[in-house]
Each structure stands twice: as C-alpha cells, then as structure tokens.
Amino acid sequence: TKMDIASERNKRDLATTAVKASIEACNAAATKAMREADVIVCTSIGAADARLLAACGMAIDGDELVSEQLNGKMKSTRTIPRNPNISVLAPDGLPPLSMPFVITDEACQSVEPGSLIPIFSTNGCKSLVMLGDPCQLPPTVISDDSGVGSSPLSISLMSRLASTLPAPVIVTAQNDKTPRENMYLNLKLTKQAASLVQYKGGSSESKVSYKKQYAGSLLLSVQYRMHPSIAAFSSAVFYDSMLSTPMFLTKERILPDEFDDILPLDNSPVSVRFINISGKNNEKRGE
C-alpha cells in the first residue's frame, strides 16, 4: 500500500540521515585529532582517506556544496571557491588544515601513481622531500612478467625526478675531519667484483655513472651500518666508490673467526663471500 511504501521510505531516510550524521561526527573528531598533531603519518594510499581529505577541505561529495547554496545556508560573507571540490570549512567548523610539507619514505619502492596521491590529494603540498635509493629495490609491479622491469610503472617518481632535475645545492660538512676507511675500496678483489658484476649484467655500453644518472638527488655518502669491507662492494658496484665508512667502524664490526674457518679467503681481510645456492628448492609456482 501507499502507506507501507511511505513508511519504508521514511525508515530509509532516517537511516541515511543517521549514517550521514555519524560520518560527520567521525570526520569532525578526526579533524580535531589531526589539528592537534605536528606530523601525520600514513601510507601513500592512506593519504586519500576521506577523513584526511575532509580535514583539508576537500569535499568528498560535491552535492553538499550545491545543497548548501540552494538552501541558502552559505553566508553572504563566504566566497565560493574556484575549485568545486574544495569546501570552505573543515568538518569541525574551522578553516581547513594545510599540508604544505610532504615527506615520502622508501619513495623508490613506490609506483609513481602511488607517490602522487599524498602530493595532490590534500591540495596543499608546497615542499616535497623523497627519501629512497634508486639502486635498491624498484617498485613491485605484479603485472610485469618481463623480469627486467620493462613496465613504465617500474620507474618510481623519485628515480624519474632524480634523473631529470638539476643537481641540488649541496652543503657539505667541510669541517668534518673524521677519518674514512678507503683500504677496502682500493683492494684488487673489490675492483674485480665490480668489473664482474658489470660484465654479468651484459652491459656492452659504458656504464653511466651514479652521479650523472641521478644528478638531481642528494647522496648520503657516509654509512654507519656495515663493516667497511662489506660497504666497499656496494660502493664500488653501485655508487662509483662515493659511499664511504668512518674508520672507527673497522674495530666496531670485527669479523668472527668462525667465518674465516668455514669460508677461508687467502691473504685478504674482506668480509664478503658469495655462495652459490642454486639447485632444488621447495618453491612451487601456480599454487
């Protein structure tokens, strides 16, 4: 009957109103929490969260602006923004949050569209800092079956910018007199390993130097993680021997005697061994 239909419609309308009120309350609470924060941490995809967008004045539903104007709820002193997707106030009734600074960690492992989300989603980024290493793992592209990263998505935004932007103005610690360990970089074994890697890579052309290939990036050239004999290999192969290690780490990272007993290396202090582990394994594909 018409009465039943009207009753069901009223129930739907009440439910819709309750859901909208709940969403508005959640957005207001989230905005208040974010307004009190100095730093907001999220994933790249999480930067498009509806609560964050609402706090930054990005209207998820453009019909809300139209409704406000038709119902005359907008005060005459409020101006209509040029971008119809940007609201005037945040959910808590205060001016929208501003996100002028965006810092992306592990940027070279993120596909370019993913890196663009935090830059453009809040409509307020003025300064961007991308941290990552173009010589380490590239973005994971499941649809790329080539095995060599031929997909356009295999190039991260940071790698693209590092290859095209001009060299940054580098302020070096000129007064830093910390001794650097260079012995391992100059070892014959290290140079042979670098030549072997380049040969195995099948590169017939002359290798483009790291400094030229990624001129637009700033290399943190001093590492404190590894023994200098381990870092020397990566430095020689990937960073054109620009990666250095403070000399005091030689004593802090002593090679275990058991290592040389199991995998001896005649007359060399190098701490790196390459072990061929090819053969049968328990990996099963297609399951």
Side-chain angles (χ1 to χ4, degrees), residues 138-236:
T140 300
V141 183
I142 298 177
S143 60
D144 184 9
D145 298 327
S146 66
V148 294
S150 60
S151 169
L153 292 175
S154 297
I155 302 176
S156 66
L157 177 62
M158 179 176 174
S159 296
R160 192 185 304 277
L161 293 177
S163 300
T164 55
L165 291 177
V169 177
I170 302 175
V171 180
T172 58
Q174 297 179 356
N175 295 326
D176 185 4
K177 303 299 182 181
T178 303
R180 302 287 195 267
E181 177 59 78
N182 296 318
M183 180 188 72
Y184 297 100
L185 276 173
N186 297 324
L187 282 178
K188 182 179 179 181
L189 283 176
T190 303
K191 296 179 180 179
Q192 287 176 338
S195 299
L196 180 61
V197 170
Q198 185 175 356
Y199 172 76
K200 290 291 185 180
S203 176
S204 57
E205 302 178 359
S206 58
K207 179 179 177 294
V208 180
S209 67
Y210 178 93
K211 203 168 186 178
K212 288 184 178 179
Q213 188 173 2
Y214 303 111
S217 64
L218 174 63
L219 174 67
L220 301 180
S221 59
V222 181
Q223 69 86 27
Y224 297 88
R225 286 175 151 185
M226 300 170 281
H227 188 276
S229 68
I230 300 176
F233 172 80
S234 297
S235 181

Side-chain angles (χ1 to χ4, degrees), residues 7 14 18 26-27 51 80 94 101 133 138 156 166 174 180 193 196 202 206 221 228-229 258 269 276 279:
S7 177
L14 289 173
C26 289
N27 286 343
R51 292 163 296 183
I80 301 175
L94 298 175
F101 305 106
D133 190 343
S156 66
Q174 297 179 356
R180 302 287 195 267
L196 180 61
S206 58
S221 59
S229 68
E258 294 80 6
N276 185 358

Side-chain angles (χ1 to χ4, degrees), residues 4-16:
D4 293 334
I5 295 175
S7 177
E8 290 296 326
R9 185 177 300 168
N10 288 335
K11 290 180 180 179
R12 281 200 307 269
D13 291 343
L14 289 173
T16 301

